Amino acid sequence: PWPAAFRSSRLLARVLELAPHQIRRYPRFRDYDSLRLWGLEFARVHGLERDQLEFGIGPMRTPLTEECFGDLRRLVDDILFYRRADGPDPCHPFYRMQAERWLESLILEESDRLFPELLPEAIYPQIPVYLGKDPGRVDVLAADREGTLVVLELKVTADPDLPLQALDYWGRVIRHNRGGDFERRGYFIEARLNRSRPRIYLVSPVFGFHDSTERLLRFLDPEIELWKIFINQDWRAGVKVLRRIRVRCGELD
């Protein structure tokens, strides 16, 4: 299903060497691989041999040639300068953009410490899930050591839609799992998935849950296993799980 995933080329290797300990590569099936620095996509690599690359922030991207390689190097240096916990300007776009992807990248880096119940080799960001032709992407989809799927939805600021969004993706994951779709796509080969209903983890800073979250959760199916995961407000300096609460869904006052 991924004919070019994790193939390499001299061009790609040269780009990765610009920041070998920070650049992360995420395959997007047959289409392209996403290159990111702390969750911020700065380049996409295409082609069967992953030998075509375009770079830039947002929809405007420039094909990489030898003449503009210096521009790419400067972009990488600028992102590394501004996108760090002690960055010089918290208002800079490179610091503020795609904050949830930044959190996602930190969780992926230390998943074994933060979520030891999950298989480290069975944690995937931004997996596409469908309802008919309507696409969606789970922030993180993982499997625990018994093969049960876990849907992680991340928010860094209060969002009243968080519970319903997680429930939407949870339902889509159930459908894909029962149909064996993940295995056919090449996911969770090591996990031996079971067909149990997934768990849901809502992950947010301590003061990042919207006031309406608890009220909405009372209307959900009581059979859903849902957890609120509280992390530190200064998560950019390193994510810490401060508290985990099992939510009793379906319990009305």
Side-chain angles (χ1 to χ4, degrees):
W2 294 344
F6 296 115
R7 293 188 183 181
S8 193
S9 65
R10 290 184 179 180
L11 177 65
L12 176 57
R14 187 180 176 194
V15 172
L16 295 176
E17 280 300 313
L18 292 174
H21 300 296
Q22 288 85 24
I23 296 176
R24 293 293 181 265
R25 179 184 178 190
Y26 297 94
R28 284 291 174 261
F29 293 101
R30 298 174 175 83
D31 300 328
Y32 64 91
D33 288 357
S34 173
L35 301 184
R36 302 179 189 175
L37 286 163
W38 302 123
L40 180 60
E41 181 181 86
F42 70 92
R44 293 181 178 184
V45 57
H46 301 264
L48 186 62
E49 299 301 327
R50 292 310 194 238
D51 55 359
Q52 304 164 37
L53 190 142
E54 55 185 17
F55 68 96
I57 304 297
M60 300 299 292
R61 287 183 284 269
T62 302
L64 181 62
T65 63
E66 189 61 42
E67 289 73 22
C68 63
F69 197 89
D71 295 333
L72 173 61
R73 180 183 291 110
R74 284 187 287 275
L75 175 62
V76 168
D77 289 344
D78 284 348
I79 296 172
L80 291 175
F81 180 71
Y82 287 104
R83 198 172 179 83
R84 62 179 200 264
D86 60 345
D89 183 4
C91 295
H92 194 280
F94 289 170
Y95 184 92
R96 296 174 61 89
M97 291 176 68
Q98 299 184 9
E100 282 157 17
R101 294 286 181 88
W102 191 347
L103 173 58
E104 170 193 297
S105 71
L106 295 175
I107 288 175
L108 293 174
E109 290 292 322
E110 295 197 88
S111 61
D112 54 343
R113 175 179 64 84
L114 298 169
F115 300 103
E117 72 274 19
L118 304 181
L119 279 173
E121 63 272 21
I123 301 176
Y124 299 93
Q126 302 298 314
I127 283 189
V129 289
Y130 294 87
L131 182 62
K133 293 184 178 180
D134 177 37
R137 286 190 181 274
V138 180
D139 286 340
V140 178
L141 185 61
D144 69 14
R145 299 178 187 278
E146 283 71 48
T148 300
L149 288 169
V150 181
V151 174
L152 291 88
E153 281 299 304
L154 319 177
K155 293 295 180 186
V156 298
T157 57
D159 185 343
D161 294 331
L162 174 59
L164 297 181
Q165 183 180 23
L167 185 64
D168 177 22
Y169 293 156
W170 175 82
R172 299 180 189 215
V173 167
I174 289 176
R175 178 176 173 274
H176 285 303
N177 187 32
R178 289 176 177 171
D181 296 338
F182 295 124
E183 293 93 335
R184 279 196 295 273
R185 294 179 187 175
Y187 293 113
F188 300 110
I189 295 173
E190 309 87 347
R192 296 187 178 182
L193 297 181
N194 61 50
R195 303 308 178 200
S196 301
R197 297 208 295 182
R199 297 198 301 280
I200 298 175
Y201 289 177
L202 304 181
V203 183
S204 186
V206 172
F207 302 111
F209 285 101
H210 195 272
D211 292 342
S212 65
T213 299
E214 289 289 343
R215 293 194 297 272
L216 282 172
L217 294 177
R218 293 172 188 168
F219 291 92
L220 299 186
D221 183 343
E223 295 298 319
I224 296 175
E225 183 178 344
L226 187 148
W227 293 76
K228 289 174 69 175
I229 311 293
F230 297 84
I231 63 172
N232 51 314
Q233 291 292 134
D234 59 340
W235 53 266
R236 288 179 177 86
V239 180
K240 302 172 186 173
V241 173
L242 303 181
R243 194 178 181 190
R244 298 165 61 127
I245 297 178
R246 170 78 182 271
V247 177
R248 297 186 181 278
C249 299
E251 290 193 358
L252 299 175
D253 292 335

